[in-house]
Amino acid sequence: MLKKLKERGCRMTSHRLALLRIMSISEGHPNAAQLYEKLREQFPTISLATVYKTLQVLKEDGQVFEIDLHNDSHYDGNKPYPHPHLICNKCGAIFDGDEVSFLNSISQEIQEKYNFQVAQSQLLFYGVCENCQS
């Protein structure tokens, strides 16, 4: 992530470096507000705009994957490639559907059948997670 930002000519501020660190080790799917609150603990002067701008650049460079939930976006820094996400309607948890491997074949089939070049794909499943079912 750091290399891509440098290649784009982005200034490497302590705020951006801290955000990169959080995204690279995050095992969850934080939204911008959660990242902002976490960063404010260390950097009280950081702006929410800095978080959004940095996430946008990382997304454009394929370094984070945006999960667009229409009312809020969450970000996946550990797996910046398209993969299914499972979203619990009760607790709001987001899980990776890594074991499902057909997403690339769907994009290829769309390309072949409709001559449509897929730029980005997103597959979301809504339901109730194992914990909430108990």
Side-chain angles (χ1 to χ4, degrees), residues 68-97:
D68 182 7
L69 301 179
H70 299 294
N71 63 345
D72 193 14
S73 289
H74 290 252
Y75 299 89
D76 195 337
N78 283 334
K79 298 171 186 159
Y81 49 86
H83 58 281
H85 287 93
L86 319 172
I87 301 159
C88 181
N89 289 325
K90 287 193 175 188
C91 69
I94 302 172
F95 303 94
D96 291 313

Side-chain angles (χ1 to χ4, degrees), residues 24-39:
S24 67
I25 62 170
S26 175
E27 294 190 16
H29 300 88
N31 64 19
Q34 291 166 329
L35 293 166
Y36 171 68
E37 288 303 321
K38 188 160 186 76
L39 288 165

Side-chain angles (χ1 to χ4, degrees), residues 56-70:
Q56 182 63 33
V57 170
L58 292 171
K59 185 180 87 167
E60 288 170 3
D61 284 344
Q63 299 299 304
V64 298
F65 185 76
E66 180 180 21
I67 305 163
D68 182 7
L69 301 179
H70 299 294

Side-chain angles (χ1 to χ4, degrees), residues 1-24:
M1 285 188 233
L2 180 62
K3 181 182 174 188
K4 288 280 190 176
L5 285 178
K6 284 182 178 179
E7 287 173 0
R8 276 194 129 184
C10 292
R11 288 187 321 127
M12 294 312 336
T13 64
S14 56
H15 296 166
R16 281 197 173 131
L17 289 171
L19 177 58
L20 295 180
R21 204 170 301 116
I22 291 170
M23 290 304 299
S24 67

Side-chain angles (χ1 to χ4, degrees), residues 44 50 56 101 106 110 112 133:
T50 296
Q56 182 63 33
S101 60
I106 291 173
I110 288 170
E112 291 170 2
Q133 290 177 38

